Amino acid sequence: MSRDAILTRVRAAGAMTPKRATPPLAAPPSLTTSGDAAIARFRTMAAAKGITIIDAPARDAVPQAIASILSSTEIETRQIRLNDPAMTKFDWRASSLSIELGAAEPQDVMALSTARAAVAETGTLLLASGAENPATLALLPETHAIVIDAMNIVGTFEDALTILRTHYGESLPRAVNLISGASRTGDIGGRIVHGAHGPHRLIVIIVANEIRAPQPAP
Amino acid sequence: MKPSSSRFPDNAAAALANPRLRAALDTLPGGLVAQRRAAVAAVPEFEALREAARAIRDATLDDLASHLEAFETKAISMGSKVHWASDASEACRIVLDICRAARARLVVKGKSMVSEEIGLNAHLEAEGLEVVESDLGEYIIQKRGETPSHIIAPAIHLTEADVAADFRAYHTHLPADRRLDTPQSLVAEARNVLRQKFLAADVGITGANFLVAETGSSIIVTNEGNGDLAQTLPRVHIVVATIDKVVPTLTEAMTLLRVLARSATGQDMTAYTTLATGPRRPGDLDGPEQSHIVLIDNGRSEMLASDMRDALRCIRCGACMNHCPVYNAIGGHAYGWVYPGPIGAVLTPSLLGIVETSHLPNASTFCGSCETVCPVKIPLVSLMRTWRERAKQQRLETWPARALSKLWISTATRPALYHLLARVAVAIGGALGRRKGRFSSLPFARGWLAHRELPAPQGRTFQQLWRETERGVPR
Ligand code: SF4
C-alpha cells in the first residue's frame, strides 16, 4: 500500500538527521497592538486595502448604517442576504431594506456576515462558516458587508487563533476565511482589477457599543 | 506535461528573440520586486521571521512522518478521506476514481502547481471529463494550451492585447462587437464565463499552500477567491498536495503566512486565506458533501533522503524567480517544465533526473539574489552548484564546455605555463587594442560583444608590474 511505503521512506530519511527544534514563536513587536491601538491599526490597515469602514453605535443600528452607505454609493440594491439570527432580528424595513435568509444565491447583489474576529496586524477579518454565516455569503455577491464588534478586534493572528480555539476547541468549522480586501487579480498585464471571482466591494461595520467580554486566558 | 528542459539553450535563445515576451517581462517581475521590498521594509523583524520560517520548515521535515500521520488522523476525524499516492500516475488514478464515483462531468480547479506536475488535467480530459481552470491566469493559458510561466503569475508572459484576442476567439457566444479594451472588461468577461462553470461543477479540485496537522485543515492563499468557490460550491472537494506541505500547528502556519505573501506579491496578506476542514457539517447551508485529500510523494521522499532536502522547505512564493536576472531575461517557459527560475533549476533535476535537465543548473549567474530573498533561506546557489558537479561527474556537459574546462585546468595548475600564456595574450591584446583602447568584436566572442565592449589590456600582466615595482609600490 502506498501509504505505508511512503511513510517508511519518509521515516528512513528522517532518521538520517537529528531532529531540530522549532524556537518559540511570538508575533513581531512591530505588528503587535492591543485595545484601542488595535482598533486604530485595524482601521488604517483595512482602509489601505480598499475596505470601506463605517461605524455603528450598537448592533441594532447596523441596518441604518448600511442604508446610509447604500444611498451614498452606486450600489443599486435594497435587498440583503444574511442568516445570522443576531442580525436578522432587527427591524430592517424601518431602514427601507429587505432581507433574505439563507446561503447566498447566484443572483444576490449584497450579503452580510458577522465576523468572529478582526486582526489589526493586517486589517483582516476572520469569518467562521456555519448555519449562521454560510461561507457563500462572502464569495458570491458583488458587495459583501461584514459586522465586527469592536471588542473582537485583536492585535495579531495569534490573538485571533486564541478566539478561534475558545469558540471551537479542537474542531474547526468547515471553513475559516481570513479576508483581507475585495477579490482581485493581477493576471492580465500585471494591472490590479477588483472583483475577479468574489466581491468587488467589501464594507466593514464596526459596532462600538458591545460590552468587552472577559479576554480569553493567554 | 512533457518536459522540454533538455532543449533549454534553444528555448532560451527563442525567448530572447521574442519581442512580445520581452514587453510582458519588462513590467511584472520588476513590479513584484519593488512591492516586496516595500513590504519587507515595513517589518523591521523580517529577518527574524525568515529565520523562524526556515526553522519551522526544517523541524517539520526532520520529523515529517509523524506530522503526516498526525495530519491524517485529524483530517479523518474531521470527516475527510485521506488518500496516498506514490507517484503521478497513482495520484491521477485516485482523483479520477473519486470523480467517477461521484458521477462527475465538470471539474473546476483552483490553482495548483502539483496538478501541473502530475499532468492531472490531461489525465481527466482523456477520460471524458471537462476540466476548467478558474485562476484567471491559469484559465488564459489553459485555453492557449500552454503551461504556467510563473508559479504565482502563470500568464505573466502575455500582454492585455494577447488576452483580448484570445477571449474573442474562445467566447464566441458573446457579441462580436463588445469592447475588450480594458483589463476591467476582460476580468468581467472571465468572471461571468467562469461563474457559470463554478455553479455547474460537480467536483472542485484545489491545491494546498499548507496542511495543518493540529486541525486536519488545508490552507489556500489566493487573491481572486477562485479557490474558495472551487472548494465551496461543488458537491465534492479534492485537495491535491505533496507530502512536504504539512505544518504541525496553526500558530506555525501563521508565521509562514507572514513571510509568504510579503515575499510573493508584497502584500501582507492576500485577499483570501482559507482554512478548509472536512465536508459540510450538520446544519450547514453550503459547502461540499465530500472532502478528499490526496497526499502525493512523487519524488519528495527521495529528495528528503538526499542532499536536496533543503529545497523541500520551499513555500512557492516565486520571489527567487522575480529576482533572477536569467528568469527576467527568458521567462518561465524556457525552463521546459512546471517549475521555472532558481527553484526550478534545483527541483526539476531532483524530480526528473539530471540527465534530461543538465542545462538548468547552468541557467544562473550565481549572483545569489534568489538566496537573499528566499523566505525560507534555501541555499539555491549551492544546490545548483551541486547539480552542476553531478552533471560533470556524469559527463553531461557539451564537448566544447568539457574541452574548455580541461584546457583551463591544465594551464591554471601550471603557474609557469600560465604566466607565459598570460604574458603573450596581454602583449598581443595590448598591441592590437592600443589605438581604440577597447575591442568591440573578437573571434569566438561576437555574441558576448554584441551588447558591450571589452577594454584592451595595457600590455603587461599584473605579475610583471608586481615584479617591476617594489611589491606594488613604485621604486
Ligand atoms: S525557493 Fe524560496 S524564494 Fe523560491 S519560491 Fe521557494 S520559497 Fe520562494
Side-chain angles (χ1 to χ4, degrees), chain A residues 41-66:
Chain A
R41 180 173 172 124
F42 173 76
R43 286 178 189 274
T44 315
M45 298 305 284
K49 292 180 165 64
I51 300 174
T52 305
I53 298 177
I54 53 178
D55 289 275
R59 279 197 173 187
D60 61 7
V62 168
Q64 192 47 52
I66 290 179

Side-chain angles (χ1 to χ4, degrees), chain B residues 80-91:
Chain B
S80 291
K81 199 158 178 340
V82 178
H83 312 257
W84 299 74
S86 280
D87 57 19
S89 66
E90 189 177 9

Side-chain angles (χ1 to χ4, degrees), chain A residues 127-177:
Chain A
L127 274 62
S129 74
E132 297 170 357
N133 288 286
T136 43
L137 296 181
L139 301 172
L140 286 176
E142 291 194 354
T143 299
H144 183 213
I146 304 176
V147 174
I148 176 74
D149 295 330
M151 66 174 183
N152 289 331
I153 301 180
V154 296
T156 63
F157 283 105
E158 284 78 355
D159 298 333
L161 291 182
T162 306
I163 292 186
L164 208 54
R165 290 186 177 115
T166 312
H167 278 284
Y168 297 100
E170 303 260 281
S171 301
L172 290 185
R174 185 193 66 77
V176 174
N177 298 85

Side-chain angles (χ1 to χ4, degrees), chain B residues 214-283:
Chain B
E214 177 191 5
T215 57
S217 317
S218 59
I219 299 185
I220 57 168
V221 172
T222 77
N223 270 314
E224 297 182 1
N226 62 310
D228 286 275
L229 286 167
Q231 65 186 21
T232 306
L233 296 177
R235 289 181 278 127
V236 178
H237 175 213
I238 306 175
V239 177
V240 288
T242 47
I243 53 173
D244 52 299
K245 294 287 175 193
V246 71
V247 183
T249 63
L250 270 182
T251 313
E252 286 161 301
M254 286 302 165
T255 296
L256 296 174
L257 287 169
R258 280 197 181 105
V259 294
L260 175 58
R262 287 180 171 93
S263 302
T265 56
Q267 292 170 281
D268 50 11
M269 281 286 271
T270 55
Y272 301 98
T273 297
T274 305
L275 287 72
T277 314
R280 169 195 293 233
R281 306 294 159 75

Side-chain angles (χ1 to χ4, degrees), chain B residues 249-413:
Chain B
T249 63
L250 270 182
T251 313
E252 286 161 301
M254 286 302 165
T255 296
L256 296 174
L257 287 169
R258 280 197 181 105
V259 294
L260 175 58
R262 287 180 171 93
S263 302
T265 56
Q267 292 170 281
D268 50 11
M269 281 286 271
T270 55
Y272 301 98
T273 297
T274 305
L275 287 72
T277 314
R280 169 195 293 233
R281 306 294 159 75
D284 275 3
L285 304 177
D286 53 23
E289 289 151 21
Q290 295 176 29
S291 156
H292 298 267
I293 299 158
V294 187
L295 297 173
I296 303 169
D297 183 339
N298 208 33
R300 270 58 178 191
S301 56
E302 283 100 298
M303 279 181 74
L304 197 65
S306 77
D307 48 8
M308 292 293 142
R309 173 190 282 205
D310 287 344
L312 288 176
R313 290 204 296 265
C314 178
I315 55 173
R316 304 280 189 271
C317 70
C320 56
M321 51 204 78
N322 298 337
H323 289 76
C324 177
V326 177
Y327 178 91
N328 272 271
I330 61 175
H333 285 155
Y335 292 80
W337 199 49
V338 181
Y339 304 102
I343 185 62
V346 172
L347 261 186
T348 309
S350 309
L351 299 176
L352 298 180
I354 186 67
V355 175
E356 286 294 303
T357 61
S358 62
H359 294 298
L360 296 187
N362 293 320
S364 167
T365 64
F366 279 9
C367 71
S369 303
C370 49
E371 283 187 16
T372 0
V373 296
C374 175
V376 286
K377 297 189 168 182
I378 299 175
L380 291 157
V381 170
S382 70
L383 296 180
M384 279 188 272
R385 188 176 292 120
T386 305
W387 279 124
R388 282 191 191 182
E389 281 161 10
R390 214 153 291 164
K392 191 168 165 48
Q393 282 157 13
Q394 299 190 25
R395 307 177 63 77
L396 296 170
E397 322 120 285
T398 55
W399 73 262
R402 196 157 50 232
L404 274 176
S405 75
K406 269 220 188 92
L407 188 67
W408 169 251
I409 292 167
S410 60
T411 40
T413 52

